DNA sequence: AACACGTGGGA
DNA sequence: TTCCCAAGTGT
């Protein structure tokens, strides 16, 4: 049975080229899949691998993490980036423990209600942890579909209804096949149909690729300006949190003041971290990771 | 609907 | 060096 014009070739390619990632192993728990998906939000696989191993070794179940203060999750997060994801995971663990009997929910809507779990992650966990049929639309899938089907170099900056409709239309009917298709397209985007230099010679669907057929027209949309980092509040927040993570206990204000010259920006960043729940201001004037 | 939100590696 | 990008989410 042919589900879409690409499925046979893509599934066969995945069969031979899938990476051996631990969260794809047969025995991988739903919790371990959820943790991997959150860590992989905007963070490359190679950097997630060791962090995931350490995290799962320390907190094999949601209850294990729920029993700890949130600051331990932030500390364990180390330099993965976007540390509020650590807070989200901790909050997920508490909710799962208190309201879902300690089991990661298998219902898409319940997953979506968890903190830090959006459209992509809910679909990914329902698919990869529970074998359900959902359109999984991440940056890899969006790029592959933009090229192979739509014939353009890059998808729009934000996912559109049209992209979601297309992904659902291409999704195989049979649930296990749909799951396989989803992970296979993601893998194709990650390994072959990459953003900068796609390896079209290795692509199983190059002969049906609309972008290739059109002669690889260059992206012509509005300039996609990257976000600057140096000098931003984000950089200051990063430095502040690095000091807290490196210290086994609370730190004095001067230790934090030392990371950035501009006091206005420094205070603004610290206040924001406190508001976000990533830093705890103690009564004695010192600061700590949240308890 | 833009924008904020970390970090590091490759070209 | 600078810029782009990496399994996004929340506001």
């Amino acid at each position: 049975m042919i589900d879409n014009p690409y499925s046979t070739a893509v599934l066969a390619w995945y069969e031979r080229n899938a990476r051996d990632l631990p969260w794809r192993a047969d025995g991988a728990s739903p919790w371990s899949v959820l943790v991997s998906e959150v860590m992989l939000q905007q963070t490359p696989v190679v950097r997630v691998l060791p962090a995931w191993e350490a995290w799962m070794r320390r907190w094999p179940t949601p209850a294990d993490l729920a029993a700890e203060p949130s600051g331990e999750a932030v500390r364990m997060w180390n330099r993965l980036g976007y540390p509020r994801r650590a807070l989200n995971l901790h909050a997920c663990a508490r909710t799962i423990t208190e309201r879902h009997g300690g089991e990661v929910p298998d219902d898409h809507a319940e997953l979506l209600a968890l903190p830090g779990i959006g459209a992509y992650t809910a679909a990914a966990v329902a698919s990869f942890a529970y074998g359900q049929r959902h359109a999984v639309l991440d940056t890899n899938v969006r790029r592959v579909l933009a090229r192979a089907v739509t014939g353009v170099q890059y998808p729009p900056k934000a996912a559109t209804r049209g992209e979601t409709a297309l992904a659902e239309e291409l999704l195989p009917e049979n649930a296990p096949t749909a799951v396989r298709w989803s992970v296979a397209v993601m893998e194709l985007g990650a390994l072959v149909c990459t953003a900068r230099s796609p390896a079209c010679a290795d692509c199983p669907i190059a002969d049906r690729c609309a972008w290739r057929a059109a002669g690889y027209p260059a992206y012509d949309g509005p300039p996609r300006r990257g976000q600057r980092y140096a000098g931003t509040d984000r950089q200051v927040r990063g430095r502040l949190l690095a000091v807290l993570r490196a210290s086994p206990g609370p730190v004095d204000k001067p230790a934090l003041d030392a990371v950035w010259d501009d006091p206005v920006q420094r205070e603004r960043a610290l206040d924001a971290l406190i508001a976000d729940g990533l830093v705890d201001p103690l009564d004695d004037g010192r600061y700590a990771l949240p308890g």
Side-chain angles (χ1 to χ4, degrees):
Chain A
M1 180 179 87
I2 305 300
D3 287 294
N4 69 52
Y6 313 96
S7 59
T8 301
V10 171
L11 291 170
W13 173 86
Y14 183 73
E15 211 58 45
R16 285 176 287 107
N17 298 281
R19 285 169 293 180
D20 187 22
L21 302 174
W23 46 84
R24 288 179 182 162
D26 272 349
S29 68
W31 168 243
S32 76
V33 172
L34 190 160
V35 170
S36 77
E37 291 300 341
V38 171
M39 287 184 169
L40 286 162
Q41 293 170 358
Q42 300 286 280
T43 303
V45 168
V46 287
R47 250 192 295 160
V48 166
L49 243 13
W52 182 88
E53 297 283 3
W55 189 285
M56 294 313 301
R57 193 158 49 244
R58 180 166 176 188
W59 298 308
T61 71
D64 294 322
L65 176 56
E68 301 258 15
S70 61
E72 283 307 296
V74 175
R75 188 188 304 281
M76 196 69 175
W77 198 252
N78 200 9
R79 304 187 66 83
L80 267 190
Y82 293 144
R84 63 179 172 191
R85 290 183 292 165
L87 242 28
N88 288 152
L89 232 24
H90 182 265
C92 279
R94 292 251 164 112
T95 299
I96 290 167
T97 302
E98 293 162 13
R99 302 189 42 206
H100 297 287
E103 300 293 328
V104 174
D106 61 3
D107 179 75
H108 184 273
E110 290 183 336
L111 286 165
L112 203 48
L114 262 18
I117 308 299
Y120 162 75
T121 305
V125 173
S127 295
F128 307 144
Y130 291 114
Q132 297 172 21
R133 181 180 179 277
H134 294 279
V136 176
L137 200 59
D138 79 324
T139 190
N140 291 303
V141 175
R142 294 182 63 218
R143 189 174 53 252
V144 171
L145 298 188
R147 289 174 180 170
V149 182
T150 313
V152 298
Q153 187 176 18
Y154 297 118
K157 280 206 274 257
T160 63
R161 298 295 277 275
E163 289 181 85
T164 302
L166 175 60
E168 285 171 351
E169 186 183 324
L170 294 176
L171 199 62
E173 285 305 317
N174 173 263
T177 309
V179 170
R180 197 79 171 161
W181 159 258
S182 295
V183 71
V185 179
M186 285 176 62
E187 194 77 336
L188 185 62
L191 300 182
V192 174
C193 193
T194 57
R196 296 195 181 161
S197 49
C200 301
D202 302 325
C203 181
I205 56 174
D207 60 340
R208 311 166 187 62
C209 178
W211 184 47
R212 179 183 178 83
Y216 299 119
Y219 175 80
D220 71 341
R224 327 136 90 224
R225 81 158 185 290
Q227 24 197 6
R228 207 126 275 93
Y229 179 64
T232 63
D233 286 10
R234 291 159 74 180
Q235 182 178 25
V236 186
R237 290 166 56 111
R239 289 191 183 184
L240 255 12
L241 217 46
V243 171
L244 274 302
R245 272 196 314 260
S247 168
V251 303
D252 290 6
K253 188 71 187 325
L256 295 178
D257 290 344
V259 308
W260 201 258
D261 284 336
D262 178 359
V264 174
Q265 188 176 23
R266 191 206 307 141
E267 293 307 313
R268 183 173 65 227
L270 181 56
D271 287 345
L273 284 172
I274 293 167
D276 288 348
L278 285 163
V279 172
D280 191 10
L282 304 180
D283 291 336
D284 63 7
R286 294 183 300 167
Y287 296 85
L289 292 177

